Amino acid sequence: MTRIKRGYIARKRRTKSRDFTSSFRGAHSKLTRTISQQKIKALVSAHRDRDRKKRDFRSLWISRINAIIGQKKQKIYYIYSKLIYNMSKRQLLLNRKIVAQIAILKGNCLFMIANEIIKKKNSPETELREGGRIEEICIIK
């Protein structure tokens, strides 16, 4: 029986894997079995770290907002959670990324937004909407 030589398909598949792992060190870029293991490990890590990156950025934004708020305690909310709660309660739809950018680039703008929230919170109309006592509103007017 004559010897059958393998086709180019298997070599093509291995070359594709080698191209993916060409920047890895040592046997991780040279041996076929190790290449396939390292390729799987790299893809798993990439998938896991995409979620971790989102988590890290969210915590970064929160810490930036908290740092700016903590600088001027007498003027504004000095607790991050109260600020975010009141922003959502007043239906001010700004996400943490935007609020952090406002806080860093224009800190006074963040204080103006917070002061508007405080003013709306203390207005008689909001007390009536939130189920406040009518007698108090009549006295104010």
Side-chain angles (χ1 to χ4, degrees), residues 37-81:
Q37 292 168 0
Q38 290 303 310
K39 183 178 179 182
I40 291 169
K41 187 175 181 181
L43 293 173
V44 166
S45 297
H47 183 264
R48 180 193 63 227
D49 290 339
R50 276 194 293 275
D51 289 335
R52 186 170 290 166
K53 185 169 76 170
K54 292 178 183 77
R55 225 176 298 151
D56 291 342
F57 270 110
R58 182 184 167 102
S59 66
L60 174 70
W61 298 328
I62 289 171
S63 62
R64 284 178 174 174
I65 295 167
N66 214 2
I68 297 295
I69 289 173
Q71 287 177 356
K72 297 183 181 179
K73 292 184 179 180
Q74 66 275 13
K75 287 188 177 179
I76 194 173
Y77 302 101
Y78 54 93
I79 298 174
Y80 161 81
S81 60

Side-chain angles (χ1 to χ4, degrees), residues 120-129 137 140-141:
K120 286 182 182 177
K121 183 179 178 183
N122 296 333
S123 70
E125 292 83 20
T126 56
E127 288 181 15
L128 183 62
R129 259 187 276 132
I137 294 172
I140 293 171
K141 287 184 180 179

Side-chain angles (χ1 to χ4, degrees), residues 12-23 29 35:
K12 188 175 166 185
R13 187 186 72 237
R14 290 187 196 111
T15 308
K16 203 188 317 184
S17 294
R18 277 203 178 87
D19 289 341
F20 181 81
T21 59
S22 62
S23 61
S29 65
I35 284 174

